[in-house]
Amino acid sequence: MTAVTPACQLLERQSEGYENWLWVAPPPDPWLSDQPGPLWSTDLGIAQAWRERGATVYDDLAPGIEEVPGAVLFWPKAHALGEWWLLALCAQLPEGTRLQIVGENQGGIRRVLKILAALGLGCRRLDNARRCMLFETRVGQVSLAPDDAWTTFEALDLRLVSHPGIFGHGKLDSGTALLLDNLPKSLKLAGASVLDIGCGDGVISAWLARQDAKVTAVDSSAFAVEATRRTLAANSLNGSVHQSDVYSALPEGERFAVIVSNPPFHQERAIDRGPASRLIRQAPEHLEKGGYLIVVANAFLPYPDLFDAAFGGFEILADDRRFRVYMARKR
């Protein structure tokens, strides 16, 4: 069983009962499975786990939350994403609702004090232990709106829409650039059915759609799904975008000529190779005969064995010592 996280250890020692409080962007944690109350999370895996135990789950970016006695926000690694959650909570909850914010010292929880002050919200520290801190404020009116967090930037002659917390937020990732620069010239994309797994801000999907590929894009993050939809629209391109745990949201029996991915291997600060492993192992089931899986990854990650097991071989299209681009074909 997963160990209780330091942040939840800090919450566990509070006298507050947290009955029917809203849990916002929490990690997977066994202590939380025994806590009553609804969840607001943009992470598909966490949302599904809470639904399975009968909890009320909000998974949209602006879901219309019913009144609650209070909310607990788990401060994310990306401070700009934490700011978005504060703005979103102020937009969703009645003024005066209690709001506790918890996080690890190494995750920058101390920044909360300055951010709350800049928003005009008061704050007091409730506790400090397990290398974590717990603050409390109250929801209030603020001058910024959650949509103010969306940004745009230009790359590869595309206008890309991004949001804090998305991989590579606000810039073109070097691994993605290496992948797109080294796609085989012989790869026939026009009219081909192509799947982009872990679509992020939509740069791969938009680039493929510009080559007249029939693009399907998936990501487990609601932020990434919305960003990719906005990126495609900003460039007048077409594509189908879904929130999915790797292949989970795809119709049974759907097959693709090409699957392309720059898969994540972190969940906040923890290493999690599970999604990338499932991506490679299950790829043959989702490829047409003769179809290709093309993946870019950090060179140190142990993916060759997975490719060998799934496909019986692979080739390396590029290797700049930091990133490596793999390609395998379904026989």
Side-chain angles (χ1 to χ4, degrees):
M1 179 179 290
T2 305
V4 177
T5 59
C8 285
Q9 290 178 35
L10 184 59
L11 293 169
E12 188 176 16
R13 61 186 244 160
Q14 305 306 307
S15 59
E16 185 69 61
Y18 296 115
E19 184 172 358
N20 296 320
W21 278 48
L22 175 69
W23 301 96
V24 184
D29 190 291
W31 180 76
L32 288 169
S33 65
D34 295 326
Q35 301 308 307
L39 166 81
W40 187 10
S41 175
T42 59
D43 182 279
L44 180 62
I46 291 173
Q48 287 178 335
W50 283 60
R51 279 197 182 94
E52 288 172 2
R53 65 180 179 87
T56 298
V57 173
Y58 302 102
D59 55 6
D60 293 334
L61 302 187
I65 297 171
E66 295 184 6
E67 189 169 344
V68 291
V72 178
L73 169 62
F74 290 79
W75 193 252
K77 179 176 67 173
H79 300 308
L81 178 57
E83 292 181 45
W84 181 88
W85 279 114
L86 290 174
L87 296 176
L89 286 164
C90 286
Q92 287 286 316
L93 301 179
E95 187 172 356
T97 302
R98 292 175 64 190
L99 172 60
Q100 292 187 6
I101 307 164
V102 65
E104 298 185 32
N105 294 340
Q106 66 177 6
I109 184 64
R110 290 183 176 87
R111 288 279 298 275
V112 167
L113 293 169
K114 291 184 179 180
I115 293 170
L116 289 172
L119 293 174
L121 302 175
C123 181
R124 66 188 181 103
R125 190 175 74 181
L126 295 180
D127 204 354
N128 178 17
R130 313 296 186 196
R131 297 182 180 176
C132 296
M133 300 184 80
L134 177 65
F135 297 98
E136 180 163 308
T137 185
R138 288 186 180 269
V139 170
Q141 294 185 359
V142 294
S143 59
L144 299 174
D147 257 7
D148 294 336
W150 289 97
T151 59
T152 60
F153 67 101
E154 304 288 329
L156 305 178
D157 296 324
L158 293 165
R159 185 183 182 204
L160 303 171
V161 184
S162 191
H163 192 281
I166 292 176
F167 172 73
H169 171 52
K171 64 181 185 300
L172 178 63
D173 171 68
S174 299
T176 297
L178 186 69
L179 182 151
L180 294 176
D181 282 345
N182 288 278
L183 289 179
K185 299 267 193 284
S186 60
L187 203 62
K188 297 178 181 179
L189 294 173
S193 178
V194 181
L195 175 63
D196 174 13
I197 296 182
C199 54
D201 58 25
V203 59
I204 293 177
S205 292
W207 191 93
L208 293 168
R210 197 173 58 184
Q211 316 308 312
D212 295 324
K214 297 177 181 178
V215 173
T216 298
V218 298
D219 201 294
S220 63
S221 164
F223 293 119
V225 169
E226 179 62 18
T228 296
R229 287 173 178 160
R230 293 190 184 202
T231 289
L232 290 170
N235 294 278
S236 300
L237 297 168
N238 296 319
S240 177
V241 191
H242 309 280
Q243 191 174 17
S244 179
D245 179 9
V246 192
Y247 301 104
S248 67
L250 299 177
E252 186 174 353
E254 185 171 12
R255 300 289 184 270
F256 299 90
V258 183
I259 299 174
V260 183
S261 183
N262 182 352
F265 67 96
H266 279 104
Q267 177 69 27
E268 283 288 318
R269 285 174 292 277
I271 291 177
D272 180 7
R273 299 188 188 122
S277 176
R278 294 196 303 277
L279 159 68
I280 298 168
R281 286 188 290 103
Q282 298 173 16
E285 303 169 29
H286 300 275
L287 283 169
E288 301 171 357
K289 185 176 180 180
Y292 294 92
L293 172 64
I294 304 173
V295 171
V296 64
N298 290 74
F300 69 85
L301 291 169
Y303 291 164
D305 288 346
L306 291 172
F307 274 96
D308 276 332
F311 290 91
F314 63 92
E315 59 181 294
I316 296 175
L317 300 179
D319 188 342
D320 66 1
R321 296 189 178 182
R322 184 182 176 195
F323 297 103
R324 187 176 293 160
V325 181
Y326 299 91
M327 184 174 75
R329 189 179 187 188
K330 180 179 177 180
R331 303 300 177 185

